[in-house]
Amino acid sequence: MPSLDQALRAALDSRQPLLADLHQQGTDCYRLFHGSQEGAGGLTVDRYGPQLLVQSFHTSLERDALLALHQLVNERLGVDSLLVYNDRSQGNSRIDRRDPVYQADEQALADLTGHEWGLTYRVRGRHAGQDPLLFLDLRNARGWVKAHSAGKRVLNLFAYTCGVGLCAAAGGAREVVNLDFAEGNLAVGRENGALNPELPPMQFIQSDYFPAIRQWAGLPIAQRRGHKLPSYPRLEQRQFDLVLLDPPAWAKSAFGTVDLLRDYQSLLKPAILATAEDGVLICCNNLAKVALEDWREQVLRCASKLGRPVRDCQVLPPAADFPSLDGNPPLKTLILQF
């Protein structure tokens, strides 16, 4: 197995054509090293504008190796990046921020901005959550939305920090609705909107997925016997021209369970019904253990059973900064044309 230095140099070499294209299109947020596929399992190196975010998920990275990595990236990119190292290999890494390996500078941990597809995004190396505020592997999907949103009513489900909504607004959508359960995520989405003041305003709805999507789809909201449901926003039944469904792998609430492995259909069915007759639904599944073809068949079968057969189904793979040796990347994206 190659050393980390050798693996990193090979990864940077392979990305040169991609980075040139990304820089030309106004993008300075991308993955520089995808360790599980490039020789150092559990290690990722991402650029977010002026910040270099290094994260280890299996074992801690030694300080000398971290600093050598930082120096090499700076030399190759011709930048003086601000280093943030998140060691996520320990069980309490979400709350333990003692940073025994490397203390990031205050400037590196300040509110920064990065860019993708010519748009500006909020960047924080550390925040109340643990994941970066922009998931880089969804960049191609955001680009597709930006290129196909003109005049459309767009619904961004599980919106997180609303990057898809921002791209829809930039692409000329006549309406953009972002739905997420966490107000903190939507707050960053509002920041992203404010960082791009030339764009039309977006809508933000804080709600559990199930009551919101089932109201839009015209379906009843189930209630377990003897259990009173929490309050939720009341919404009118309606459809959207372009819907993006990018759920987490698993989550549970009083309204239902998100389970991409065992019950994708409970998420998919109402999303299909909330998509216009001639609309587009982009659906994602980020579970590595789910095979693309099996999932694709499941999705198409669900649509057919609803009387909404798919006219065209396109697979949209992640960009080349997320290589997959077996051709089966964890993130799978389907573009369904009804």
Side-chain angles (χ1 to χ4, degrees), residues 13 26 126 131 142 182 227 231 249 299 308 325:
D13 287 342
R126 298 273 174 78
D131 291 315
R142 287 189 289 268
H227 292 264
S231 61
V299 167
R308 299 289 307 279
L325 296 179

Side-chain angles (χ1 to χ4, degrees), residues 37-334:
Q37 302 294 302
E38 296 184 291
L43 180 66
T44 61
V45 181
D46 297 322
R47 181 185 180 184
Y48 286 92
Q51 179 189 93
L52 189 71
L53 179 62
V54 180
Q55 301 195 94
S56 54
F57 296 83
H58 296 167
T59 58
S60 299
L61 194 61
E62 294 183 358
R63 180 182 175 85
D64 288 348
L66 174 66
L67 296 180
L69 179 157
H70 185 211
Q71 181 179 352
L72 176 59
V73 169
N74 282 347
E75 291 173 354
R76 286 296 189 93
L77 297 185
V79 299
D80 186 14
S81 61
L82 301 168
L83 177 61
V84 175
Y85 173 54
N86 290 338
D87 182 4
R88 298 175 60 177
S89 63
Q90 306 303 314
N92 63 341
S93 63
R94 186 175 293 274
I95 58 175
D96 185 358
R97 298 299 173 90
R98 292 174 298 169
D99 294 331
V101 175
Y102 178 81
Q103 294 279 346
D105 295 337
E106 288 187 14
Q107 186 181 2
L109 297 176
D111 282 4
L112 303 170
T113 57
H115 304 87
E116 183 189 85
W117 297 110
L119 300 170
T120 303
Y121 290 88
R122 172 61 66 214
V123 173
R124 292 188 181 99
R126 298 273 174 78
H127 54 95
Q130 197 170 30
D131 291 315
L133 298 182
L134 184 68
F135 286 116
L136 302 177
D137 56 352
L138 200 65
R139 182 176 62 249
N140 279 357
R142 287 189 289 268
W144 195 96
V145 168
K146 187 171 183 282
H148 295 86
S149 293
K152 303 288 181 61
R153 300 161 297 172
V154 178
L155 174 60
N156 182 20
L157 300 166
F158 298 98
Y160 191 44
T161 55
C162 309
V164 167
L166 197 69
C167 282
R174 64 185 170 102
E175 181 185 13
V176 178
V177 178
N178 296 291
L179 175 82
D180 199 89
F181 177 74
E183 174 55 36
N185 293 343
L186 295 178
V188 178
R190 292 186 180 94
E191 285 188 64
N192 286 334
L195 289 169
N196 297 271
E198 73 282 1
L199 300 182
M202 302 182 289
Q203 298 176 47
F204 304 89
I205 299 177
Q206 182 187 3
S207 172
D208 186 283
Y209 173 76
F210 290 105
I213 195 64
R214 293 186 73 84
Q215 287 179 89
W216 281 321
L219 298 172
I221 299 172
Q223 181 173 347
R224 290 185 297 168
R225 182 177 297 177
H227 292 264
K228 184 179 179 180
L229 290 177
S231 61
Y232 54 89
R234 279 1 187 224
L235 303 168
E236 296 293 329
Q237 181 179 353
R238 61 169 301 190
Q239 291 183 320
F240 297 82
D241 303 306
L242 197 163
V243 177
L244 186 128
L245 174 64
D246 182 22
W250 193 90
K252 187 173 184 179
S253 76
F255 297 97
T257 300
V258 174
D259 188 342
L260 301 196
L261 181 63
R262 300 173 184 83
D263 192 16
Y264 196 90
Q265 289 191 358
S266 67
L267 306 171
L268 183 63
K269 177 181 175 181
I272 291 174
L273 295 176
T275 304
E277 291 292 330
D278 58 348
V280 173
L281 171 62
I282 304 174
C283 50
C284 305
N285 190 318
N286 58 30
L287 277 185
K289 64 178 66 176
V290 173
L292 171 61
E293 285 307 313
D294 292 343
W295 176 60
R296 180 178 181 274
E297 181 181 347
Q298 178 188 20
V299 167
L300 296 179
R301 185 168 59 247
C302 179
S304 182
K305 285 182 177 180
L306 288 173
R308 299 289 307 279
V310 174
R311 291 194 291 112
D312 183 70
C313 178
Q314 175 186 349
V315 177
L316 185 65
D321 50 336
F322 285 82
S324 174
L325 296 179
D326 62 2
N328 295 301
L331 176 63
K332 295 159 285 288
T333 303
L334 298 176

